[in-house]
């Protein structure tokens, strides 16, 4: 048979072999023939499996199948075909579906394994390589698909490279026996074979002997009636019957051969048709592949045509630049200019008009466009100052439109405002909050200049809402569900603010004072009356903190270097905050930082005093600080306020700034505030009763014990006054938390603390005369992710003793049915329900309570932001517009950048290792380790600082496409247009830093060379007497009787001194009378209160 090419063999279809009938299990195999039949069936099943691979398109060289033999001598567990691993590493026995022990037993019974395989078209070849015997199984076919074993043994079955051990593919061979054991096993096997052959030979000899013996014997048979003797082993047959039977048999054989020939022909036809069908399918597959390729080519050609058209279009636009004289001012362009300017708020418009055309020209040049005339025409189409101003005002109109769209959806708004003075001009920041996409969104709608009085503030708020009105239909207007302000001095706060904008208030609305101001106000009043205020001549703790901060400010950007130089240690914490009592926690932050490094500050201050001369500012500051530090009381005071901050004030301050899971925004936890105020008061009472035993006050107690009796008495009196004033301010002052236990109690309905809500609802219903179920399990404690644990009985007692709920409140009256349902089912408004009354209450809570500001930190941040946007002589309306755009667009962009940073692998620096913020980055520097410890103590999560990157720029561009100027753009332009009317100091700063550091070095050297006896030494500074508040000794100034609330106390002091007064006499006349009685020169005269009912600390708090 002619040898066929590899290419033609690759296209052949390999029919599957017919599996011969064999015994079902290896246990039934007992003879050599049974063993061969059993293994033959197993191997043919294996060959059929590998042929499926061949029929699916495997190459010719992959029809050589090598298997490791598993016998008594060798064990190998690898299986391959061609030069590649075929499957998972398993033994040949496993491929046959047998265990190795079964295979060994059956293999031994065959005596000459695989000798009968050729009749099934399987070629077997065995080779030893790498200490292992390998078996090759293969097959070949003639034209009709009939197997022709003879064509296999042609020397073309070369061993694969990995089998020979000279390939880069490494497969480990495993021998389970040693060389000695293998030789012994071979000898034993040879002996067994020889023994078996001897047994067979002996059996044959016995048979021959029996035949010879039987040949000499005769036996009698009957033929008809005759009896005939014939040799044993012979028989007599009837020749005529045999002949007839033979003829019939021959006829049947002939017919059978004819049928077999026809059957073979039919099988040949079937194989031919099957092959033709495979060829047709192959041709169809090739045609489909060709069609798919043609389709891809057509798509690429089409894309190429589109790209060419786009390139031609861009070319035409570029050429058009030469004849364009003005900026096109498209809506998309204006949107991008507005976002770009808000992203760089300090930039002046005139600077941008210079930068933009040059930057665009540079970009075109990088693209390979070097046409001078074309680049020279770029300034003609880039924006002018007027175009940039209009773009900013268009962005402002976009914010107005956003608010109007919320009004059309029936939204109520939370309104917050704050006034502040920057660069000599008072500004009023106005912010609105509302529900969008199931969470609270804020936007600052205006931030222009305003006078600090009710009338001016009211007018500016009305102007803001009138700017929104053009986008509303008749009858529509902005309605406010809440107003949040601070409770400080000046106009435009609380009810005085609401009274000027009554037309914009919803029928159910609430006036809220900022809780961060309240939290700080309690600390401010308690601190001032217990430890005194600040001042150059004052010897107080606050003045000491001011001195330290002043030293830091005097040294400026050089402070850390000077500290390291003088202390010989790095500054590893945050810089001191200016210790202003009215700011949120600044004074406690500074006190804590000073306490952590008190000894170092003492050394630093002493060195500054010694190095700088008398007429220099740093010397004066250091001298004042040293005088105060020499007083024994000041360290004890500082340790007390530091412990107070760590154990009480800081944790509640952090809670007030939390991000609520319902509103998903900081500053909008008003629905949880009433319960939190109860917890704050409970914690305060616990602190007052137990601070002497708390671990946080251990350092304070240690220092307190070292004081003399007078010092301990003074400190004890100060702490008593501190707690007394703090609690009084907390409960009673307008600037405290009084509203949250009275007017704002209905906000509790929206709390997620179901047990607390149930008790509150029953309290309200009981006050209203509605029968309610008895409260059960009041001794149980309740806690959730929002509040700390507390007992329900304490909450109920607080409502009865400390709260004044108004049962005529609009929210409580409107939803009385829902309250009864909630009382019965003990559920909250956030629980799943189909009750219509509870659903209605939930909608009002989402519209009124959730958007309400419980603090105005984000609004106050707008004051600083306004000063930034107003830099470089910008008009007030432009600065206000930039603030509005930043609140609407830049905040959203920053959130996207922050999300990107959290998932991005950030490069490491001197403080943090490389990694993702969301997965936690390794801290390296001492400062980073300290900051991490502070975050862990306060349960804060690290966030990478958002920086100006290409990704941020891409998000600015994407924002313009996602939120474009839409709708009536002409109307927006008309409204916007009617509203009309950098030097880089980094290198200089670096130079100043070097110069200042050098000057400090010179001072150190100069001081070291000074050998005079009168050399300045910090140890020569004497201690100063501590300035104590007059109220500690129950003393007051005459002029402090300035409030009508203090009129009764003033009358009592005049009366106890024997004086008289008229009922209609004014405070001024009574102060004059008291001054005469005390023989005082002025109203600055201090005197001790004599009336037993008068307490100076209580009078000062009125």
């Amino acid at each position: 048979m002619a040898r066929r090419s590899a290419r033609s063999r690759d296209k052949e279809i390999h029919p599957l072999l017919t599996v011969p009938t064999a015994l079902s299990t290896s246990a039934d195999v007992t003879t050599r023939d049974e063993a061969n039949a059993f293994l033959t069936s197993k191997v043919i099943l294996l060959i059929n499996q590998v042929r499926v691979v061949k029929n699916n398109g495997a190459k010719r060289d992959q029809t050589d199948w090598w298997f490791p033999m598993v016998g008594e001598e060798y064990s190998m567990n690898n299986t391959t075909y061609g030069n590649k691993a075929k499957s998972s590493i398993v033994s040949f026995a496993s491929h046959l579906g047998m265990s190795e022990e079964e295979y060994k037993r059956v293999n031994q019974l065959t005596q000459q394994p695989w000798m009968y395989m050729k009749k099934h078209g399987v070629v077997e070849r065995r080779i030893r390589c790498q200490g292992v015997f390998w078996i090759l199984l293969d097959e070949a076919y003639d034209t009709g698909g009939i197997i022709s074993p003879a064509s296999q043994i042609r020397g073309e079955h070369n061993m694969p490279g990995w089998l020979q051990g000279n390939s880069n593919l490494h497969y480990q061979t495993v021998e389970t026996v040693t060389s000695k054991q293998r030789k012994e096993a071979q000898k034993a096997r040879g002996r067994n074979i020889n023994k078996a052959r001897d047994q067979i030979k002996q059996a044959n000899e016995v048979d021959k002997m029996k035949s010879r013996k039987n040949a000499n014997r005769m036996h009698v048979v009957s033929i008809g009636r005759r009896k005939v003797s014939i040799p044993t082993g012979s028989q007599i047959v009837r020749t005529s019957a045999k002949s007839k039977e033979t003829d019939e048999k021959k006829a049947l054989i002939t017919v059978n051969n004819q049928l077999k020939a026809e059957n073979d022909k039919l099988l040949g036809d079937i194989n031919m048709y099957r092959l033709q069908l495979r060829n047709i399918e192959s041709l169809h597959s090739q045609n489909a592949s060709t069609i798919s390729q043609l389709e891809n080519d057509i798509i690429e050609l089409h894309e190429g045509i589109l790209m060419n058209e786009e390139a031609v279009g861009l070319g035409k636009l570029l050429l058009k630049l030469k004849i364009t004289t003005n900026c096109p001012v498209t809506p998309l362009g204006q949107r991008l200019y507005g976002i770009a300017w808000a992203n760089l708020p300090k930039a002046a418009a005139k600077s941008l008009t210079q930068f933009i055309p040059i930057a665009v020209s540079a970009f075109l040049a990088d693209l390979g466009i070097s046409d001078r005339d074309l680049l020279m025409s770029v300034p003609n189409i880039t924006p002018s100052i007027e175009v940039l101003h209009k773009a900013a005002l268009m962005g402002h109109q976009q914010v107005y439109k956003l608010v109007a769209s919320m009004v059309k959806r029936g939204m109520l708004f939370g309104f917050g405002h704050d006034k502040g003075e920057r660069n000599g001009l008072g500004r009023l920041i106005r912010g609105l909050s509302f529900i969008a996409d199931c969470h609270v969104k804020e936007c600052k709608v205006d931030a222009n200049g305003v006078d600090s009085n009710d009338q001016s503030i009211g007018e500016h708020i009305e102007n803001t809402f009138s700017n929104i009105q053009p986008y509303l239909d008749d009858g529509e207007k902005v309605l406010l569900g809440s107003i949040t302000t601070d409770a400080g001095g000046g106009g435009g706060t609380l009810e005085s603010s609401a009274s000027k904008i009554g037309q914009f208030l919803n029928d159910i609305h609430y006036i809220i004072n900022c809780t961060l101001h309240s939290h700080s106000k309690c600390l401010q009043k308690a601190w001032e009356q217990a430890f005194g205020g600040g001042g150059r001549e004052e010897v107080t703790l606050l003045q000491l903190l001011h001195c330290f901060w002043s030293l830091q400010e005097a040294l400026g950007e050089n402070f850390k270097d000077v500290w390291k130089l003088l202390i010989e240690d790095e500054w590893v914490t945050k810089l001191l905050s200016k210790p202003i009592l009215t700011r949120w926690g600044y004074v406690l932050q500074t006190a804590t930082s000073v306490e952590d490094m008190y000894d170092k500050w003492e050394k630093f201050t002493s060195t500054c005093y010694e190095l700088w001369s008398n007429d220099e500012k740093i010397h004066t500051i250091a001298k004042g600080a040293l005088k105060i530090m020499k007083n024994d009381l000041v360290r004890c005071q500082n340790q007390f306020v530091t412990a107070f901050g760590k154990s009480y004030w800081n944790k509640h301050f952090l809670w007030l700034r939390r991000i609520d899971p319902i509103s998903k925004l900081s500053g909008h936890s008003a629905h949880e505030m009433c319960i939190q105020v109860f917890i704050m008061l409970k914690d305060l009472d616990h602190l007052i009763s137990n601070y002497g035993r708390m671990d946080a006050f251990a350092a304070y107690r240690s220092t307190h014990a070292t004081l003399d009796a007078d010092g301990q008495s003074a400190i004890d009196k100060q702490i008593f006054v501190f707690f007394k004033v703090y609690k009084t301010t907390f409960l009673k002052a307008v600037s405290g938390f009084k509203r949250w236990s009275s007017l704002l109690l209905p906000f509790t309905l929206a709390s997620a603390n179901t047990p607390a809500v149930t008790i509150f609802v029953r309290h309200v219903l009981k006050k209203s005369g509605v029968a309610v179920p008895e409260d059960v399990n009041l001794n149980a404690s309740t806690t959730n992710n929002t509040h700390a644990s507390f007992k329900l009985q304490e909450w109920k007692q607080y409502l009865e003793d400390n709260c004044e709920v108004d049962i005529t409140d609009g929210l409580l009256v409107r939803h009385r049915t829902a309250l009864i349902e909630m009382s019965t089912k003990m559920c909250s408004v956030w629980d799943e329900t189909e009750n219509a009354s509870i659903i209605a209450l939930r909608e009002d809570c989402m519209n009124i309570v959730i958007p309400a500001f419980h603090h105005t930190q984000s609004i106050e941040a707008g004051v600083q932001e306004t000063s930034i946007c107003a830099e470089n002589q910008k008009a007030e309306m432009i600065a206000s517009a930039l603030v509005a755009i930043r609140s609407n667009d830049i905040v959203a962009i920053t959130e996207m950048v922050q999300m990107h940073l959290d998932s991005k692998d950030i490069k490491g620096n001197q403080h943090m290792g490389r990694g993702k913020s969301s997965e936690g980055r390794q801290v390296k520097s001492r400062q980073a380790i300290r900051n991490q410890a502070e975050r862990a103590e306060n349960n804060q999560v690290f966030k990478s600082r958002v920086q100006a990157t290409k990704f941020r720029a891409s998000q600015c561009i994407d924002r313009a496409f996602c939120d474009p100027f839409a709708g009536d753009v002409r109307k927006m332009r008309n409204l916007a247009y009617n509203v009309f009317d950098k030097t880089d100091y980094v290198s200089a700063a670096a130079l100043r830093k070097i110069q200042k550091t050098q000057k400090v070095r010179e001072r150190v050297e100069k001081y070291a060379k000074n050998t005079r006896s009168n050399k300045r030494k910090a140890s020569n500074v004497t201690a100063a007497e501590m300035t104590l508040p007059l109220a500690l000794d129950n003393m007051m100034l005459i002029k402090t009787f300035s409030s009508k609330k203090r009129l009764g106390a003033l009358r009592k002091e005049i009366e106890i001194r024997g004086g008289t007064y008229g009922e209609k006499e004014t405070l001024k006349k009574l102060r004059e009378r008291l001054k005469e009685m005390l023989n005082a020169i002025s109203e600055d005269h201090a005197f001790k209160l004599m009336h037993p009912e008068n307490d100076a600390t209580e009078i000062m708090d009125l």
Side-chain angles (χ1 to χ4, degrees):
M1 180 180 296
R3 179 175 180 179
R4 306 181 65 186
S5 66
R7 182 183 299 273
S8 64
R9 288 198 303 270
D10 288 344
K11 296 182 179 179
E12 289 176 354
I13 303 302
H14 296 243
L16 302 182
L17 301 178
T18 302
V19 182
T21 304
L23 297 174
S24 58
T25 63
S26 62
D28 299 329
V29 176
T30 57
T31 66
R32 175 181 177 183
D33 291 338
E34 289 175 349
N36 278 316
F38 186 85
L39 285 179
T40 297
S41 63
K42 293 288 185 180
V43 172
I44 287 178
L45 287 173
L46 178 60
I47 293 301
N48 284 340
Q49 293 177 12
V50 300
R51 284 184 178 176
V52 173
V53 178
K54 172 62 182 173
N55 292 340
N56 288 336
K59 295 182 179 180
R60 177 64 185 86
D61 62 352
Q62 295 176 353
T63 58
D64 292 346
W65 298 80
W66 293 88
F67 296 89
M69 293 296 292
V70 180
E72 296 177 353
E73 298 88 8
Y74 308 102
S75 176
M76 179 62 193
N77 55 354
N78 197 354
T79 307
T80 68
Y81 66 89
N83 289 326
K84 301 180 180 177
K86 170 185 164 301
S87 63
S88 301
I89 299 176
V90 296
S91 67
F92 181 49
S94 299
H95 277 290
L96 297 180
M98 304 170 64
S99 68
E100 291 188 7
E101 294 299 322
E102 289 177 330
Y103 175 83
K104 291 176 182 178
R105 190 181 74 82
V106 176
N107 189 32
Q108 288 176 358
L109 287 174
T110 62
Q111 297 180 15
Q112 293 179 340
W114 317 119
M115 290 302 293
Y116 296 91
M117 294 300 293
K118 289 186 178 180
K119 69 179 182 179
H120 295 290
V122 178
V123 175
E124 172 264 346
R125 181 183 180 190
R126 276 179 286 176
I127 300 175
R128 176 167 179 167
C129 187
Q130 300 188 58
V132 178
F133 278 99
W134 300 83
I135 180 171
L136 164 69
L137 302 181
D138 201 355
E139 65 278 317
Y141 307 88
D142 59 12
T143 305
I146 305 302
I147 300 173
S148 177
S151 65
Q152 288 293 305
I153 310 300
R154 295 183 293 217
E156 65 184 49
H157 302 288
N158 295 324
M159 295 178 64
W162 66 268
L163 196 58
Q164 298 174 2
N166 57 1
S167 173
N168 290 330
L169 298 174
H170 301 289
Y171 294 84
Q172 182 181 4
T173 61
V174 180
E175 292 190 7
T176 59
V177 296
T178 63
S179 176
K180 181 178 180 181
Q181 291 172 335
R182 182 166 61 252
K183 291 180 179 179
E184 291 176 354
Q186 288 174 344
K187 292 179 181 179
R189 184 174 182 181
R191 289 193 296 269
N192 291 338
I193 293 174
N194 292 334
K195 183 178 180 180
R197 288 176 178 172
D198 292 338
Q199 290 175 353
I200 293 171
K201 186 176 180 181
Q202 290 176 5
N204 291 337
E205 291 293 333
V206 171
D207 290 340
K208 289 179 181 179
M209 290 177 66
K210 287 182 179 179
S211 298
R212 293 191 192 99
K213 184 176 181 180
N214 291 336
N216 297 325
R217 293 183 180 182
M218 303 292 287
H219 72 283
V220 179
V221 297
S222 298
I223 302 175
R225 295 181 180 180
R226 294 175 60 188
K227 294 185 180 291
V228 179
S229 297
I230 62 174
T232 303
S234 301
Q235 61 181 348
I236 300 174
V237 297
R238 296 178 62 181
T239 57
S240 60
K242 182 68 176 178
S243 176
K244 183 178 179 180
E245 181 182 349
T246 301
D247 294 338
E248 291 176 355
K249 184 175 182 181
K250 289 181 178 179
L252 291 173
I253 291 173
T254 302
V255 173
N256 184 60
N257 289 338
Q258 291 175 353
L259 292 174
K260 185 176 181 182
E262 292 178 2
N263 183 61
D264 291 342
K265 181 180 179 183
L266 291 174
L267 288 175
D269 293 341
I270 290 173
N271 288 333
M272 181 182 67
Y273 293 140
R274 184 180 296 168
L275 181 61
Q276 291 176 356
L277 179 60
R278 296 290 189 273
N279 292 335
I280 292 172
E281 290 177 349
S282 177
L283 181 61
H284 176 73
S285 177
Q286 293 178 2
N287 291 337
S289 177
T290 303
I291 292 171
S292 177
Q293 184 61 41
L294 290 174
E295 289 176 348
N296 292 334
D297 294 342
I298 292 172
I299 292 173
E300 290 180 2
L301 289 173
H302 182 66
E303 291 177 351
I305 292 171
L306 293 178
M307 291 180 63
N308 290 335
E309 291 177 352
E310 186 176 0
V312 171
L314 290 174
K316 290 180 179 179
L317 290 175
L318 290 174
L319 292 175
K320 191 177 179 181
L321 297 181
K322 294 183 178 180
I323 59 175
T324 305
T325 58
N326 294 314
C327 182
V329 192
T330 63
L332 179 60
Q334 284 189 304
R335 187 79 171 105
L336 285 167
Y337 284 134
I339 294 175
W341 198 1
N343 197 41
L344 303 169
K346 288 188 177 182
K350 60 182 179 181
S351 300
L352 293 176
T353 57
Q354 299 298 307
F355 174 77
I356 293 174
I358 299 173
V360 171
S361 299
F363 170 72
L364 293 175
D366 285 342
L367 293 180
I369 301 174
S370 57
D371 187 326
R372 180 177 181 181
D373 293 337
L374 178 62
L375 298 182
M376 289 290 289
S377 64
V378 170
N380 295 332
I381 64 163
T382 50
S384 62
I385 294 176
E386 179 180 336
V387 170
L388 289 176
H389 284 171
K390 290 179 178 179
L393 296 175
M394 283 287 287
H396 204 171
Q397 293 297 317
Q398 182 82 340
V399 177
Y400 292 148
K401 279 189 66 177
L402 171 64
V403 175
S405 68
M406 294 297 108
V407 174
K408 290 180 176 294
R409 292 170 55 183
M411 294 292 180
L412 298 180
F413 296 86
F415 180 61
H417 67 78
D418 186 61
K419 57 187 182 301
E421 185 171 313
R422 293 291 187 278
N423 299 327
L425 177 65
R427 289 187 171 88
L428 181 71
I429 313 301
R430 283 143 277 174
L432 290 173
S433 59
F434 49 89
I435 298 294
D437 300 327
C438 299
H439 67 274
V440 176
K441 176 179 173 61
E442 289 182 8
C443 66
K444 300 178 182 69
V445 288
D446 270 319
N448 50 350
V450 63
D451 292 332
S452 184
N453 58 69
D454 288 344
Q455 186 64 33
S456 178
I457 290 174
E459 289 176 355
H460 279 73
I461 294 174
E462 286 189 4
N463 289 339
T464 294
F465 296 149
S466 65
N467 290 334
I468 300 171
Q469 199 62 40
Y471 299 103
L472 299 174
D473 298 331
D474 294 339
E476 294 178 336
K477 65 177 180 180
V478 175
L479 287 178
L480 306 179
S482 62
I483 298 178
T484 305
T485 72
D486 61 34
T493 60
L494 301 177
E495 279 74 12
S496 67
S497 172
S499 64
K500 300 301 179 181
I501 54 173
Q503 59 177 314
F504 299 107
L505 297 178
N506 186 44
D507 56 346
I508 298 178
H509 64 273
Y510 298 90
I511 312 300
I512 306 171
N513 61 307
C514 172
T515 55
L516 287 179
H517 279 94
S518 299
H519 199 47
S520 296
K521 184 62 70 174
C522 295
L523 178 64
Q524 176 190 353
K525 287 195 171 184
W527 185 302
E528 288 177 341
Q529 295 200 33
F531 305 121
R536 235 176 234 190
E537 303 302 323
E538 300 292 332
V539 182
T540 62
L541 172 60
L542 186 62
Q543 183 58 27
L544 176 64
L545 300 180
H546 269 285
C547 288
F548 290 150
W549 176 83
S550 298
L551 279 176
Q552 174 186 282
E553 288 298 297
L555 293 169
E557 58 192 8
N558 215 35
F559 169 73
K560 289 185 179 181
D561 295 328
V562 176
W563 177 276
K564 183 176 181 179
L565 181 65
L566 301 184
I567 301 300
E568 298 179 352
D569 192 12
E570 290 185 359
W571 177 274
V572 294
T573 186
K574 297 177 182 178
L575 292 176
L576 300 181
S577 301
K578 189 174 184 179
I580 303 176
L581 285 171
T582 56
R583 300 310 298 161
W584 302 329
Y586 284 15
V587 65
L588 287 181
Q589 292 176 14
T590 303
T592 303
S593 180
V594 168
E595 181 58 34
D596 291 343
M597 299 185 292
Y598 196 88
D599 295 336
K600 293 181 179 180
W601 268 109
E602 188 171 18
K603 178 182 178 181
F604 182 77
T605 306
S606 301
T607 308
C608 288
Y609 170 79
E610 294 168 348
L611 294 180
W612 274 264
S613 59
N614 295 344
D615 57 347
E616 292 183 280
K617 180 180 180 180
I618 293 178
H619 171 84
T620 304
I621 297 172
K623 182 178 180 180
L626 285 173
K627 285 184 176 181
I628 300 174
M629 293 181 77
K630 298 287 184 178
N631 192 290
D632 295 335
L633 298 183
V634 70
R635 181 73 186 274
C636 193
Q637 292 173 350
N638 196 60
Q639 288 171 337
F640 171 80
V641 297
T642 298
F644 174 77
K646 290 181 177 180
S647 60
Y648 176 81
W649 203 92
N650 292 341
K651 69 177 182 180
H652 293 297
F653 178 70
L654 291 172
W655 189 98
L656 294 175
R657 300 173 63 191
R658 65 189 279 273
I659 296 178
D660 184 77
I662 297 176
S663 65
K664 297 181 175 61
L665 196 64
S666 177
H668 296 275
S669 297
H671 52 293
E672 303 289 359
M673 269 305 304
C674 296
I675 298 176
Q676 183 63 24
V677 168
F678 152 70
I679 294 174
M680 293 169 69
L681 181 60
K682 181 173 71 73
D683 288 351
L684 180 62
D685 288 338
H686 176 77
L687 178 66
I688 293 173
S689 303
N690 299 281
Y691 79 94
R693 297 184 294 275
M694 295 173 68
D695 293 339
F697 291 83
Y700 156 76
R701 292 195 299 271
S702 177
T703 304
H704 183 276
T706 63
L707 299 176
D708 57 22
D710 292 339
Q712 291 181 353
S713 176
I715 288 293
D716 292 342
K717 183 186 292 186
Q718 286 179 318
I719 294 175
F720 172 79
V721 172
F722 179 88
F723 282 133
K724 178 183 177 182
V725 175
Y726 194 102
K727 186 173 181 179
T728 301
T729 307
F730 187 100
L731 290 174
K732 299 180 180 180
V734 176
S735 58
F737 294 95
K738 185 177 181 180
R739 286 176 181 268
W740 296 99
S741 60
S742 55
L743 299 176
L744 300 178
L745 273 174
F747 280 18
T748 308
L749 294 176
S751 172
N753 195 326
T754 303
V757 172
T758 301
I759 291 177
F760 170 74
V761 168
R762 292 177 177 177
H763 176 75
V764 172
L765 293 175
K766 189 175 180 181
K767 287 273 187 181
S768 304
V770 179
V772 296
E774 288 295 327
D775 293 318
V776 295
N777 203 19
L778 290 176
N779 290 326
S781 297
T782 178
T783 183
N784 54 19
N785 295 330
T786 301
H787 301 115
S789 177
F790 61 89
K791 290 186 177 181
L792 295 176
Q793 179 62 49
E794 295 174 338
W795 167 241
K796 181 179 180 181
Q797 198 67 40
Y798 168 78
L799 291 174
E800 294 174 353
D801 297 344
N802 297 84
C803 298
E804 300 173 2
V805 62
D806 180 9
I807 60 175
T808 64
D809 177 85
L811 201 61
L812 299 179
V813 173
R814 177 185 291 180
H815 299 286
R816 180 65 55 82
T817 304
L819 300 187
I820 296 174
E821 188 72 16
M822 292 168 64
S823 172
T824 303
K825 294 185 176 180
M826 300 179 64
C827 64
S828 74
V829 296
W830 308 115
D831 294 335
E832 292 186 6
T833 181
E834 295 181 357
N835 186 278
S837 61
I838 296 180
I839 293 175
L841 174 58
R842 181 191 302 161
E843 291 176 353
D844 266 357
C845 289
M846 284 295 290
N847 226 1
I848 299 174
V849 180
I850 302 301
F853 292 90
H854 80 272
H855 69 67
T856 57
Q857 183 178 20
S858 62
I859 305 298
E860 289 212 10
V863 177
Q864 177 65 27
E865 194 162 277
T866 304
S867 66
I868 294 174
C869 293
E871 287 188 12
N872 296 310
Q873 301 177 349
K874 294 188 186 76
E876 281 298 299
M877 294 307 300
I878 300 301
S880 180
L882 292 178
V883 170
I885 297 172
R886 286 180 62 82
S887 71
N888 183 44
D889 297 314
I890 305 303
V891 169
I893 292 168
T894 302
E895 290 177 357
M896 294 298 297
V897 175
Q898 186 67 66
M899 292 174 59
H900 174 71
L901 281 178
D902 290 343
S903 60
K904 181 183 177 182
D905 192 34
I906 302 175
K907 294 191 299 183
N909 53 29
Q910 70 270 28
H911 302 294
M912 305 285 288
R914 187 184 185 92
K916 297 180 180 178
S917 299
S918 58
E919 298 176 356
R921 297 168 60 191
Q922 180 185 4
V923 294
K924 296 191 293 187
S925 67
R926 291 173 59 192
Q927 182 175 349
I929 294 172
R930 183 184 178 94
N931 292 340
Q932 185 186 51
E934 291 179 359
R935 287 192 297 270
E937 182 180 354
N938 298 324
N939 295 320
Q940 294 177 317
V941 179
F942 171 75
K943 291 283 187 182
S944 296
R945 182 178 299 174
V946 177
Q947 298 176 343
T949 60
K950 293 180 180 179
F951 181 80
R952 183 181 182 88
S954 66
Q955 291 302 304
C956 290
I957 297 171
D958 185 63
R959 179 72 178 177
F961 283 95
C962 295
D963 187 22
F965 294 148
D968 192 350
V969 178
R970 180 179 297 179
K971 180 179 181 179
M972 292 178 63
R973 282 181 173 173
N974 291 336
L975 291 170
Y977 295 176
N978 288 335
V979 180
F980 252 134
D981 194 304
K982 205 168 168 175
T983 306
D984 189 2
Y985 293 98
V986 175
S987 58
L991 181 60
R992 288 197 303 271
K993 183 177 179 180
I994 295 173
Q995 291 175 344
K996 288 184 177 180
T997 304
Q998 182 60 32
K999 289 182 178 179
V1000 174
R1001 293 183 185 278
E1002 293 175 358
R1003 290 178 182 276
V1004 173
E1005 294 173 359
K1006 181 179 179 181
Y1007 184 81
K1009 294 178 180 179
N1010 187 0
T1011 57
R1012 293 182 303 174
S1013 59
N1014 61 347
K1015 180 179 180 179
R1016 288 190 304 274
K1017 293 183 179 181
S1019 57
N1020 295 334
V1021 179
T1022 59
E1025 185 177 355
M1026 177 65 70
T1027 301
L1028 301 177
L1030 293 173
L1032 291 177
D1033 294 324
N1034 206 25
M1035 297 181 66
M1036 291 181 62
L1037 299 177
I1038 297 175
K1039 68 179 182 181
T1040 54
F1041 288 93
S1042 57
S1043 171
K1044 289 184 179 180
K1045 295 181 180 180
R1046 300 173 184 173
L1047 178 60
L1050 179 57
R1051 288 175 175 176
K1052 291 177 183 178
E1053 289 301 318
I1054 293 175
E1055 184 178 2
I1056 200 171
R1057 286 174 170 78
T1060 60
Y1061 57 87
E1063 290 295 329
K1064 296 185 179 181
E1065 285 187 289
T1066 63
L1067 280 169
K1068 184 176 181 181
K1069 289 184 178 181
L1070 292 178
R1071 286 199 303 271
E1072 288 293 333
R1073 185 165 303 166
L1074 181 61
K1075 185 172 70 172
E1076 293 175 358
M1077 297 175 68
L1078 296 173
N1079 295 322
I1081 300 175
S1082 68
E1083 290 189 356
D1084 287 326
H1085 178 75
F1087 69 101
K1088 190 175 185 67
L1089 300 180
M1090 295 178 58
H1091 199 283
E1093 296 179 4
N1094 282 348
D1095 186 323
T1097 58
E1098 294 182 354
I1099 295 173
M1100 293 295 292
D1101 190 53
L1102 296 175

